[in-house]
């Protein structure tokens, strides 16, 4: 220390403390381990967080967290007894991904089996495949010891009957006869194809129609896993698969870069691979919030009125989220858990 210079320590310490307090107050202080999940599904966050604290792996935590939502039937959009298809049946989609090995296990259009995220993990552990679908996925699940159960409940049956009484409105058909905007099917293709605007445009969004749980888990050592689970769009065409079980669309993890998960209109969002794109943005050093916002902005250029949100986290534990602002959806709620927050905490962001 030169003559006349003053000790820096006593002056720098308060400044560092102020910076740390500001970071903590923002909810974005880098801290591991980390659990993030879409929507304020608190018990799912608690299940994943407690699994990590008990010594479970990142994949264990994702499976437990998403599985909790399947049991609870979170918001009617996850698990059995929700969102019947146009024939009245509830089917499930799920995916789990290991960011260390890049292995993915997924199931789509799963029937008769409630624990979709559990079946997805068995795809990783007991097959060389990535995605199993439909009746064959159900048979695989049963061979793995999952019980065969009816996914229909009085609630989902009531939803279906009410939809029939509304002349099957709304639905996902277009350019068919009879006119799908006025009557039920069966439908046939119209003699002349006409381009129709998506019914979602400029109308108030029903946030419960396209929900899903997407979860990111980063362990103390930086290992990352992600997962999703959903029963899909309400009154979907039978056989429809959305973004949730598709790696890079519903969720994506790479332990060398970060992770992301998406929620919203899966038919639209899966065309942009938002989760993969967000992770690649973070690979360049981009802040997680900015990465999420850039993904949303990219979709906005093509579909300004789409319903959707993305959560993002980098390898240091910094996290963020973004959503598209439309009528009925101006803020996005999600859960975050890390040592700084002490317990799973609801986060709220304004949409862009």
């Amino acid at each position: 220390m030169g003559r006349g210079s003053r000790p820096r320590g006593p002056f720098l310490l308060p400044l560092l403390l102020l910076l740390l307090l500001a970071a903590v107050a923002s909810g974005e202080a880098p801290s591991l381990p980390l659990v993030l999940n879409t929507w304020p599904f608190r018990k799912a966050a608690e299940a994943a967080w407690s699994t990590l604290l008990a010594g479970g792996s990142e994949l264990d935590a994702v499976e437990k967290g998403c599985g909790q939502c399947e049991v609870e039937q979170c918001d009617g959009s996850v698990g059995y007894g929700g969102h019947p298809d146009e024939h009245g049946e509830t089917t499930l989609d799920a995916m789990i991904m290991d960011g260390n090995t890049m292995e993915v296990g997924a199931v789509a259009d799963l029937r008769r089996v409630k624990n979709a995220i559990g079946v997805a993990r068995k795809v990783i552990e007991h097959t060389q495949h990535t995605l199993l679908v439909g009746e064959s996925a159900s048979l695989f699940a049963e061979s793995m010891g999952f019980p065969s159960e009816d996914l229909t409940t009085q609630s989902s049956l009531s939803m279906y009957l009410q939809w029939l009484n509304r002349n099957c409105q709304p639905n996902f058909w277009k350019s068919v006869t009879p006119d799908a905007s006025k009557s039920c099917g069966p439908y046939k293709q119209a003699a002349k194809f006409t381009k129709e605007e998506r019914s979602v445009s400029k109308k108030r969004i029903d946030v419960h129609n396209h929900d899903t749980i997407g979860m990111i888990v980063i362990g103390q050592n930086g290992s990352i896993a992600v997962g999703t689970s959903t029963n899909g769009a309400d009154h979907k065409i039978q056989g429809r698969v959305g973004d949730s079980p598709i790696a890079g669309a519903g969720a994506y993890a790479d332990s060398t870069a970060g992770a992301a998960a998406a929620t919203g209109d899966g038919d639209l969002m899966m065309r942009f691979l938002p989760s993969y794109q967000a992770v690649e943005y973070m690979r360049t050093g981009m802040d997680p919030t900015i990465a999420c916002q850039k993904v949303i902005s990219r979709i906005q250029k093509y579909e300004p009125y789409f319903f959707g949100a993305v959560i993002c986290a980098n390898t240091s534990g910094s996290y963020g989220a973004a959503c598209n602002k439309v009528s009925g959806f101006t803020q996005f709620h999600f859960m975050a858990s890390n040592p700084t927050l002490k317990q799973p905490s609801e986060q709220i962001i304004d949409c862009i």
Side-chain angles (χ1 to χ4, degrees):
M1 185 181 298
R3 192 193 317 181
S5 61
R6 304 172 72 174
R8 296 183 181 181
F11 297 92
L12 284 176
L13 186 57
L15 178 60
L16 291 173
L17 286 173
L18 284 172
L19 291 173
L20 179 59
L21 287 171
V24 170
S26 71
E28 298 175 355
S31 186
L32 294 177
L34 173 71
V35 173
L36 287 184
N37 62 262
T38 56
W39 307 107
F41 299 148
R42 183 174 298 274
K43 288 187 178 179
E46 290 172 347
W49 185 242
S50 63
T51 299
L52 270 187
L53 295 185
S57 70
E58 293 76 23
L59 286 173
D60 291 338
V62 167
E63 183 179 358
K64 288 291 187 182
C66 291
Q68 181 66 34
C69 249
E70 292 173 346
V71 171
E72 285 186 27
Q73 304 163 283
C74 284
D75 225 6
S77 64
V78 182
Y80 70 100
H83 287 183
D85 64 23
E86 65 175 9
H87 291 179
E89 183 179 13
T90 296
T91 60
L92 308 179
D93 301 338
M95 182 266 283
I96 192 167
M97 182 173 185
D98 185 332
N100 289 338
T101 65
M102 308 307 287
E103 290 177 298
V104 175
V107 290
D109 194 25
L110 181 71
R111 296 178 167 90
R112 303 189 310 278
V113 178
K114 291 182 177 179
N115 185 201
I117 190 70
V119 181
R121 188 168 182 184
K122 294 300 182 186
V123 174
I124 288 182
E125 295 177 341
H126 298 289
T127 82
Q128 297 181 45
H129 299 311
T130 293
L131 172 64
L132 301 179
V133 301
E135 182 63 20
S136 297
S138 302
L139 293 174
F140 167 78
E142 290 167 4
S143 75
M144 291 289 104
F146 292 88
S148 178
E149 304 174 84
D150 188 357
L151 303 188
T152 300
T153 62
Q154 280 301 120
S155 175
S156 64
L157 180 59
S158 176
M159 284 189 284
Y160 177 60
L161 293 176
Q162 289 176 28
W163 179 71
L164 289 178
N165 288 335
R166 296 194 304 268
N167 292 322
C168 304
Q169 303 303 310
N171 60 63
F172 292 91
W173 290 89
K174 64 181 184 180
S175 299
V176 293
T177 183
D179 186 346
S181 69
K182 299 177 181 178
S183 63
C184 298
Y187 305 106
K188 295 182 180 180
Q189 62 179 335
K192 183 178 181 181
F193 173 77
T194 56
K195 187 172 182 178
E196 301 175 16
E197 282 192 22
R198 289 174 56 84
S199 60
V200 71
S201 295
K202 300 187 180 180
K203 293 185 179 180
R204 184 177 178 87
I205 297 296
D206 178 3
V207 298
H208 302 290
N209 188 32
H210 292 285
D211 282 357
T212 185
I213 182 169
M215 179 169 280
I216 297 170
V217 175
I218 308 180
Q220 187 67 54
N221 64 356
S223 294
I224 305 178
V226 296
T228 64
S229 186
T230 185
N231 51 37
D234 205 4
H235 312 303
K236 62 194 175 188
I237 296 172
Q238 199 165 42
R240 177 264 190 187
V241 175
D243 63 328
S244 295
I246 308 301
Y252 194 73
D254 185 334
S255 296
T256 68
T263 184
D265 185 343
D267 289 299
L268 192 156
M269 294 182 74
M270 68 191 299
R271 303 168 192 170
F272 296 86
L273 296 178
S275 297
Y276 172 80
Q277 186 65 57
V279 171
E280 291 308 304
Y281 282 143
M282 288 186 288
R283 188 186 301 280
T284 69
M286 188 177 292
D287 175 80
T289 296
I290 302 301
C292 282
Q293 290 175 345
K294 281 180 69 70
V295 164
I296 294 296
S297 295
R298 181 167 174 256
I299 303 175
Q300 284 174 334
K301 293 177 182 178
Y302 297 87
E303 297 282 352
Y305 303 106
F306 85 98
F307 164 54
V310 181
I311 56 173
C312 302
N314 65 19
T315 55
S316 70
S318 290
Y319 62 87
C323 52
N324 186 40
K325 185 177 181 179
V326 290
S327 177
F329 185 58
T330 59
Q331 290 185 322
F332 176 55
H333 298 237
F334 65 101
M335 298 297 297
S337 316
N338 64 24
T340 302
L341 295 169
K342 306 298 184 185
Q343 62 183 356
S345 303
E346 184 174 340
Q347 312 288 305
I348 304 174
I349 59 156
D350 292 325
C351 297
I352 59 173

PDB file of all heavy atoms in Angstrom, residues 216-248:
ATOM      1  N   ILE A 216     -37.366 -26.946 -14.414  1.00  0.00           N
ATOM      2  CA  ILE A 216     -35.912 -26.936 -14.562  1.00  0.00           C
ATOM      3  C   ILE A 216     -35.303 -27.220 -13.195  1.00  0.00           C
ATOM      4  O   ILE A 216     -35.688 -26.596 -12.202  1.00  0.00           O
ATOM      5  CB  ILE A 216     -35.414 -25.563 -15.051  1.00  0.00           C
ATOM      6  CG1 ILE A 216     -35.972 -25.231 -16.442  1.00  0.00           C
ATOM      7  CG2 ILE A 216     -33.882 -25.504 -15.062  1.00  0.00           C
ATOM      8  CD1 ILE A 216     -35.723 -23.790 -16.871  1.00  0.00           C
ATOM      9  N   VAL A 217     -34.358 -28.147 -13.136  1.00  0.00           N
ATOM     10  CA  VAL A 217     -33.647 -28.439 -11.892  1.00  0.00           C
ATOM     11  C   VAL A 217     -32.144 -28.408 -12.171  1.00  0.00           C
ATOM     12  O   VAL A 217     -31.666 -29.093 -13.077  1.00  0.00           O
ATOM     13  CB  VAL A 217     -34.038 -29.816 -11.316  1.00  0.00           C
ATOM     14  CG1 VAL A 217     -33.180 -30.137 -10.091  1.00  0.00           C
ATOM     15  CG2 VAL A 217     -35.519 -29.840 -10.948  1.00  0.00           C
ATOM     16  N   ILE A 218     -31.421 -27.606 -11.394  1.00  0.00           N
ATOM     17  CA  ILE A 218     -29.965 -27.540 -11.493  1.00  0.00           C
ATOM     18  C   ILE A 218     -29.391 -27.906 -10.130  1.00  0.00           C
ATOM     19  O   ILE A 218     -29.710 -27.275  -9.122  1.00  0.00           O
ATOM     20  CB  ILE A 218     -29.464 -26.143 -11.913  1.00  0.00           C
ATOM     21  CG1 ILE A 218     -30.182 -25.672 -13.185  1.00  0.00           C
ATOM     22  CG2 ILE A 218     -27.953 -26.167 -12.123  1.00  0.00           C
ATOM     23  CD1 ILE A 218     -29.748 -24.297 -13.660  1.00  0.00           C
ATOM     24  N   GLY A 219     -28.556 -28.923 -10.101  1.00  0.00           N
ATOM     25  CA  GLY A 219     -27.975 -29.387  -8.852  1.00  0.00           C
ATOM     26  C   GLY A 219     -26.810 -28.535  -8.396  1.00  0.00           C
ATOM     27  O   GLY A 219     -26.325 -27.654  -9.110  1.00  0.00           O
ATOM     28  N   GLN A 220     -26.341 -28.815  -7.191  1.00  0.00           N
ATOM     29  CA  GLN A 220     -25.225 -28.058  -6.625  1.00  0.00           C
ATOM     30  C   GLN A 220     -23.979 -28.137  -7.487  1.00  0.00           C
ATOM     31  O   GLN A 220     -23.203 -27.184  -7.561  1.00  0.00           O
ATOM     32  CB  GLN A 220     -24.919 -28.595  -5.214  1.00  0.00           C
ATOM     33  CG  GLN A 220     -23.895 -27.776  -4.448  1.00  0.00           C
ATOM     34  CD  GLN A 220     -24.398 -26.380  -4.104  1.00  0.00           C
ATOM     35  OE1 GLN A 220     -25.457 -26.234  -3.506  1.00  0.00           O
ATOM     36  NE2 GLN A 220     -23.639 -25.354  -4.465  1.00  0.00           N
ATOM     37  N   ASN A 221     -23.801 -29.263  -8.175  1.00  0.00           N
ATOM     38  CA  ASN A 221     -22.618 -29.450  -9.018  1.00  0.00           C
ATOM     39  C   ASN A 221     -22.821 -28.957 -10.447  1.00  0.00           C
ATOM     40  O   ASN A 221     -21.945 -29.118 -11.298  1.00  0.00           O
ATOM     41  CB  ASN A 221     -22.210 -30.930  -9.037  1.00  0.00           C
ATOM     42  CG  ASN A 221     -23.266 -31.821  -9.679  1.00  0.00           C
ATOM     43  OD1 ASN A 221     -24.350 -31.348 -10.043  1.00  0.00           O
ATOM     44  ND2 ASN A 221     -22.950 -33.106  -9.822  1.00  0.00           N
ATOM     45  N   GLY A 222     -23.983 -28.361 -10.727  1.00  0.00           N
ATOM     46  CA  GLY A 222     -24.229 -27.815 -12.054  1.00  0.00           C
ATOM     47  C   GLY A 222     -24.929 -28.747 -13.019  1.00  0.00           C
ATOM     48  O   GLY A 222     -25.210 -28.360 -14.158  1.00  0.00           O
ATOM     49  N   SER A 223     -25.216 -29.963 -12.599  1.00  0.00           N
ATOM     50  CA  SER A 223     -25.947 -30.890 -13.471  1.00  0.00           C
ATOM     51  C   SER A 223     -27.385 -30.401 -13.639  1.00  0.00           C
ATOM     52  O   SER A 223     -28.008 -29.948 -12.677  1.00  0.00           O
ATOM     53  CB  SER A 223     -25.954 -32.298 -12.885  1.00  0.00           C
ATOM     54  OG  SER A 223     -24.651 -32.831 -12.862  1.00  0.00           O
ATOM     55  N   ILE A 224     -27.907 -30.514 -14.865  1.00  0.00           N
ATOM     56  CA  ILE A 224     -29.228 -29.978 -15.168  1.00  0.00           C
ATOM     57  C   ILE A 224     -30.160 -31.058 -15.699  1.00  0.00           C
ATOM     58  O   ILE A 224     -29.736 -31.926 -16.473  1.00  0.00           O
ATOM     59  CB  ILE A 224     -29.141 -28.839 -16.213  1.00  0.00           C
ATOM     60  CG1 ILE A 224     -28.179 -27.744 -15.741  1.00  0.00           C
ATOM     61  CG2 ILE A 224     -30.517 -28.240 -16.476  1.00  0.00           C
ATOM     62  CD1 ILE A 224     -28.002 -26.608 -16.727  1.00  0.00           C
ATOM     63  N   ALA A 225     -31.413 -30.994 -15.303  1.00  0.00           N
ATOM     64  CA  ALA A 225     -32.463 -31.841 -15.868  1.00  0.00           C
ATOM     65  C   ALA A 225     -33.709 -30.988 -16.040  1.00  0.00           C
ATOM     66  O   ALA A 225     -33.914 -30.007 -15.321  1.00  0.00           O
ATOM     67  CB  ALA A 225     -32.760 -33.036 -14.964  1.00  0.00           C
ATOM     68  N   VAL A 226     -34.528 -31.347 -17.004  1.00  0.00           N
ATOM     69  CA  VAL A 226     -35.804 -30.654 -17.219  1.00  0.00           C
ATOM     70  C   VAL A 226     -36.900 -31.682 -17.458  1.00  0.00           C
ATOM     71  O   VAL A 226     -36.626 -32.842 -17.795  1.00  0.00           O
ATOM     72  CB  VAL A 226     -35.752 -29.677 -18.427  1.00  0.00           C
ATOM     73  CG1 VAL A 226     -34.776 -28.547 -18.180  1.00  0.00           C
ATOM     74  CG2 VAL A 226     -35.404 -30.427 -19.712  1.00  0.00           C
ATOM     75  N   GLY A 227     -38.130 -31.237 -17.309  1.00  0.00           N
ATOM     76  CA  GLY A 227     -39.255 -32.124 -17.590  1.00  0.00           C
ATOM     77  C   GLY A 227     -40.526 -31.341 -17.842  1.00  0.00           C
ATOM     78  O   GLY A 227     -40.630 -30.159 -17.493  1.00  0.00           O
ATOM     79  N   THR A 228     -41.496 -31.998 -18.451  1.00  0.00           N
ATOM     80  CA  THR A 228     -42.808 -31.411 -18.706  1.00  0.00           C
ATOM     81  C   THR A 228     -43.880 -32.472 -18.499  1.00  0.00           C
ATOM     82  O   THR A 228     -43.613 -33.672 -18.610  1.00  0.00           O
ATOM     83  CB  THR A 228     -42.942 -30.889 -20.150  1.00  0.00           C
ATOM     84  OG1 THR A 228     -42.850 -32.002 -21.055  1.00  0.00           O
ATOM     85  CG2 THR A 228     -41.858 -29.880 -20.489  1.00  0.00           C
ATOM     86  N   SER A 229     -45.086 -32.021 -18.231  1.00  0.00           N
ATOM     87  CA  SER A 229     -46.229 -32.929 -18.197  1.00  0.00           C
ATOM     88  C   SER A 229     -47.498 -32.133 -18.461  1.00  0.00           C
ATOM     89  O   SER A 229     -47.650 -31.015 -17.960  1.00  0.00           O
ATOM     90  CB  SER A 229     -46.338 -33.645 -16.846  1.00  0.00           C
ATOM     91  OG  SER A 229     -47.376 -34.615 -16.884  1.00  0.00           O
ATOM     92  N   THR A 230     -48.411 -32.702 -19.251  1.00  0.00           N
ATOM     93  CA  THR A 230     -49.646 -32.000 -19.604  1.00  0.00           C
ATOM     94  C   THR A 230     -50.683 -32.991 -20.109  1.00  0.00           C
ATOM     95  O   THR A 230     -50.344 -34.106 -20.516  1.00  0.00           O
ATOM     96  CB  THR A 230     -49.366 -30.948 -20.698  1.00  0.00           C
ATOM     97  OG1 THR A 230     -50.546 -30.196 -20.962  1.00  0.00           O
ATOM     98  CG2 THR A 230     -48.918 -31.614 -21.988  1.00  0.00           C
ATOM     99  N   ASN A 231     -51.953 -32.555 -20.099  1.00  0.00           N
ATOM    100  CA  ASN A 231     -52.982 -33.329 -20.797  1.00  0.00           C
ATOM    101  C   ASN A 231     -53.404 -32.626 -22.076  1.00  0.00           C
ATOM    102  O   ASN A 231     -54.394 -32.998 -22.702  1.00  0.00           O
ATOM    103  CB  ASN A 231     -54.183 -33.640 -19.892  1.00  0.00           C
ATOM    104  CG  ASN A 231     -54.746 -32.419 -19.198  1.00  0.00           C
ATOM    105  OD1 ASN A 231     -54.794 -31.326 -19.762  1.00  0.00           O
ATOM    106  ND2 ASN A 231     -55.185 -32.589 -17.955  1.00  0.00           N
ATOM    107  N   GLY A 232     -52.676 -31.602 -22.468  1.00  0.00           N
ATOM    108  CA  GLY A 232     -52.848 -31.008 -23.782  1.00  0.00           C
ATOM    109  C   GLY A 232     -53.989 -30.015 -23.887  1.00  0.00           C
ATOM    110  O   GLY A 232     -54.601 -29.605 -22.902  1.00  0.00           O
ATOM    111  N   ALA A 233     -54.265 -29.632 -25.112  1.00  0.00           N
ATOM    112  CA  ALA A 233     -55.290 -28.621 -25.389  1.00  0.00           C
ATOM    113  C   ALA A 233     -56.689 -29.196 -25.185  1.00  0.00           C
ATOM    114  O   ALA A 233     -56.963 -30.345 -25.533  1.00  0.00           O
ATOM    115  CB  ALA A 233     -55.140 -28.095 -26.810  1.00  0.00           C
ATOM    116  N   ASP A 234     -57.552 -28.364 -24.628  1.00  0.00           N
ATOM    117  CA  ASP A 234     -58.936 -28.769 -24.369  1.00  0.00           C
ATOM    118  C   ASP A 234     -59.670 -29.032 -25.685  1.00  0.00           C
ATOM    119  O   ASP A 234     -59.653 -28.202 -26.590  1.00  0.00           O
ATOM    120  CB  ASP A 234     -59.630 -27.644 -23.596  1.00  0.00           C
ATOM    121  CG  ASP A 234     -60.791 -28.138 -22.762  1.00  0.00           C
ATOM    122  OD1 ASP A 234     -61.014 -29.354 -22.723  1.00  0.00           O
ATOM    123  OD2 ASP A 234     -61.473 -27.294 -22.147  1.00  0.00           O
ATOM    124  N   HIS A 235     -60.311 -30.201 -25.787  1.00  0.00           N
ATOM    125  CA  HIS A 235     -61.090 -30.604 -26.964  1.00  0.00           C
ATOM    126  C   HIS A 235     -60.230 -30.720 -28.238  1.00  0.00           C
ATOM    127  O   HIS A 235     -60.706 -30.467 -29.346  1.00  0.00           O
ATOM    128  CB  HIS A 235     -62.267 -29.641 -27.187  1.00  0.00           C
ATOM    129  CG  HIS A 235     -63.064 -29.379 -25.943  1.00  0.00           C
ATOM    130  ND1 HIS A 235     -63.644 -30.397 -25.227  1.00  0.00           N
ATOM    131  CD2 HIS A 235     -63.331 -28.226 -25.280  1.00  0.00           C
ATOM    132  CE1 HIS A 235     -64.265 -29.879 -24.169  1.00  0.00           C
ATOM    133  NE2 HIS A 235     -64.073 -28.578 -24.176  1.00  0.00           N
ATOM    134  N   LYS A 236     -58.982 -31.096 -28.040  1.00  0.00           N
ATOM    135  CA  LYS A 236     -58.073 -31.292 -29.175  1.00  0.00           C
ATOM    136  C   LYS A 236     -58.583 -32.400 -30.089  1.00  0.00           C
ATOM    137  O   LYS A 236     -59.349 -33.276 -29.672  1.00  0.00           O
ATOM    138  CB  LYS A 236     -56.681 -31.652 -28.646  1.00  0.00           C
ATOM    139  CG  LYS A 236     -56.661 -32.969 -27.851  1.00  0.00           C
ATOM    140  CD  LYS A 236     -55.371 -33.139 -27.066  1.00  0.00           C
ATOM    141  CE  LYS A 236     -55.435 -34.401 -26.186  1.00  0.00           C
ATOM    142  NZ  LYS A 236     -54.295 -34.519 -25.274  1.00  0.00           N
ATOM    143  N   ILE A 237     -58.133 -32.367 -31.331  1.00  0.00           N
ATOM    144  CA  ILE A 237     -58.411 -33.454 -32.266  1.00  0.00           C
ATOM    145  C   ILE A 237     -57.674 -34.695 -31.777  1.00  0.00           C
ATOM    146  O   ILE A 237     -56.515 -34.617 -31.358  1.00  0.00           O
ATOM    147  CB  ILE A 237     -57.967 -33.068 -33.690  1.00  0.00           C
ATOM    148  CG1 ILE A 237     -58.790 -31.871 -34.190  1.00  0.00           C
ATOM    149  CG2 ILE A 237     -58.105 -34.248 -34.640  1.00  0.00           C
ATOM    150  CD1 ILE A 237     -58.305 -31.289 -35.498  1.00  0.00           C
ATOM    151  N   GLN A 238     -58.331 -35.828 -31.820  1.00  0.00           N
ATOM    152  CA  GLN A 238     -57.736 -37.061 -31.303  1.00  0.00           C
ATOM    153  C   GLN A 238     -56.419 -37.343 -32.017  1.00  0.00           C
ATOM    154  O   GLN A 238     -56.332 -37.296 -33.241  1.00  0.00           O
ATOM    155  CB  GLN A 238     -58.694 -38.225 -31.487  1.00  0.00           C
ATOM    156  CG  GLN A 238     -58.360 -39.413 -30.601  1.00  0.00           C
ATOM    157  CD  GLN A 238     -59.512 -40.406 -30.532  1.00  0.00           C
ATOM    158  OE1 GLN A 238     -60.135 -40.706 -31.532  1.00  0.00           O
ATOM    159  NE2 GLN A 238     -59.793 -40.912 -29.340  1.00  0.00           N
ATOM    160  N   GLY A 239     -55.388 -37.614 -31.219  1.00  0.00           N
ATOM    161  CA  GLY A 239     -54.058 -37.878 -31.775  1.00  0.00           C
ATOM    162  C   GLY A 239     -53.147 -36.672 -31.771  1.00  0.00           C
ATOM    163  O   GLY A 239     -51.953 -36.789 -32.049  1.00  0.00           O
ATOM    164  N   ARG A 240     -53.683 -35.503 -31.437  1.00  0.00           N
ATOM    165  CA  ARG A 240     -52.871 -34.279 -31.413  1.00  0.00           C
ATOM    166  C   ARG A 240     -51.774 -34.378 -30.362  1.00  0.00           C
ATOM    167  O   ARG A 240     -51.977 -34.831 -29.248  1.00  0.00           O
ATOM    168  CB  ARG A 240     -53.765 -33.078 -31.125  1.00  0.00           C
ATOM    169  CG  ARG A 240     -53.016 -31.741 -31.004  1.00  0.00           C
ATOM    170  CD  ARG A 240     -52.703 -31.360 -29.576  1.00  0.00           C
ATOM    171  NE  ARG A 240     -52.213 -29.979 -29.462  1.00  0.00           N
ATOM    172  CZ  ARG A 240     -51.751 -29.442 -28.348  1.00  0.00           C
ATOM    173  NH1 ARG A 240     -51.720 -30.153 -27.228  1.00  0.00           N
ATOM    174  NH2 ARG A 240     -51.316 -28.191 -28.332  1.00  0.00           N
ATOM    175  N   VAL A 241     -50.571 -33.929 -30.719  1.00  0.00           N
ATOM    176  CA  VAL A 241     -49.439 -33.837 -29.801  1.00  0.00           C
ATOM    177  C   VAL A 241     -48.917 -32.407 -29.859  1.00  0.00           C
ATOM    178  O   VAL A 241     -48.680 -31.879 -30.948  1.00  0.00           O
ATOM    179  CB  VAL A 241     -48.316 -34.826 -30.173  1.00  0.00           C
ATOM    180  CG1 VAL A 241     -47.105 -34.619 -29.263  1.00  0.00           C
ATOM    181  CG2 VAL A 241     -48.812 -36.262 -30.084  1.00  0.00           C
ATOM    182  N   GLY A 242     -48.749 -31.779 -28.717  1.00  0.00           N
ATOM    183  CA  GLY A 242     -48.247 -30.418 -28.672  1.00  0.00           C
ATOM    184  C   GLY A 242     -46.756 -30.351 -28.443  1.00  0.00           C
ATOM    185  O   GLY A 242     -46.008 -31.279 -28.755  1.00  0.00           O
ATOM    186  N   ASP A 243     -46.316 -29.252 -27.841  1.00  0.00           N
ATOM    187  CA  ASP A 243     -44.875 -29.025 -27.685  1.00  0.00           C
ATOM    188  C   ASP A 243     -44.278 -29.748 -26.492  1.00  0.00           C
ATOM    189  O   ASP A 243     -43.080 -30.030 -26.478  1.00  0.00           O
ATOM    190  CB  ASP A 243     -44.594 -27.527 -27.558  1.00  0.00           C
ATOM    191  CG  ASP A 243     -45.233 -26.905 -26.313  1.00  0.00           C
ATOM    192  OD1 ASP A 243     -46.301 -27.378 -25.894  1.00  0.00           O
ATOM    193  OD2 ASP A 243     -44.665 -25.944 -25.772  1.00  0.00           O
ATOM    194  N   SER A 244     -45.085 -30.067 -25.481  1.00  0.00           N
ATOM    195  CA  SER A 244     -44.551 -30.549 -24.204  1.00  0.00           C
ATOM    196  C   SER A 244     -43.607 -31.746 -24.314  1.00  0.00           C
ATOM    197  O   SER A 244     -42.558 -31.754 -23.672  1.00  0.00           O
ATOM    198  CB  SER A 244     -45.699 -30.865 -23.244  1.00  0.00           C
ATOM    199  OG  SER A 244     -46.398 -29.699 -22.917  1.00  0.00           O
ATOM    200  N   PRO A 245     -43.912 -32.788 -25.101  1.00  0.00           N
ATOM    201  CA  PRO A 245     -43.009 -33.938 -25.135  1.00  0.00           C
ATOM    202  C   PRO A 245     -41.879 -33.822 -26.163  1.00  0.00           C
ATOM    203  O   PRO A 245     -41.129 -34.779 -26.366  1.00  0.00           O
ATOM    204  CB  PRO A 245     -43.944 -35.088 -25.493  1.00  0.00           C
ATOM    205  CG  PRO A 245     -44.962 -34.459 -26.383  1.00  0.00           C
ATOM    206  CD  PRO A 245     -45.163 -33.060 -25.839  1.00  0.00           C
ATOM    207  N   ILE A 246     -41.770 -32.658 -26.802  1.00  0.00           N
ATOM    208  CA  ILE A 246     -40.775 -32.489 -27.861  1.00  0.00           C
ATOM    209  C   ILE A 246     -39.559 -31.749 -27.312  1.00  0.00           C
ATOM    210  O   ILE A 246     -39.652 -30.585 -26.899  1.00  0.00           O
ATOM    211  CB  ILE A 246     -41.364 -31.706 -29.057  1.00  0.00           C
ATOM    212  CG1 ILE A 246     -42.668 -32.352 -29.522  1.00  0.00           C
ATOM    213  CG2 ILE A 246     -40.350 -31.610 -30.185  1.00  0.00           C
ATOM    214  CD1 ILE A 246     -42.547 -33.800 -29.955  1.00  0.00           C
ATOM    215  N   ALA A 247     -38.399 -32.418 -27.314  1.00  0.00           N
ATOM    216  CA  ALA A 247     -37.167 -31.793 -26.828  1.00  0.00           C
ATOM    217  C   ALA A 247     -36.830 -30.576 -27.675  1.00  0.00           C
ATOM    218  O   ALA A 247     -36.843 -30.636 -28.906  1.00  0.00           O
ATOM    219  CB  ALA A 247     -36.020 -32.800 -26.871  1.00  0.00           C
ATOM    220  N   GLY A 248     -36.529 -29.470 -27.000  1.00  0.00           N
ATOM    221  CA  GLY A 248     -36.224 -28.230 -27.700  1.00  0.00           C
ATOM    222  C   GLY A 248     -37.425 -27.327 -27.822  1.00  0.00           C
ATOM    223  O   GLY A 248     -37.295 -26.122 -27.996  1.00  0.00           O
TER     224      GLY A 248
END
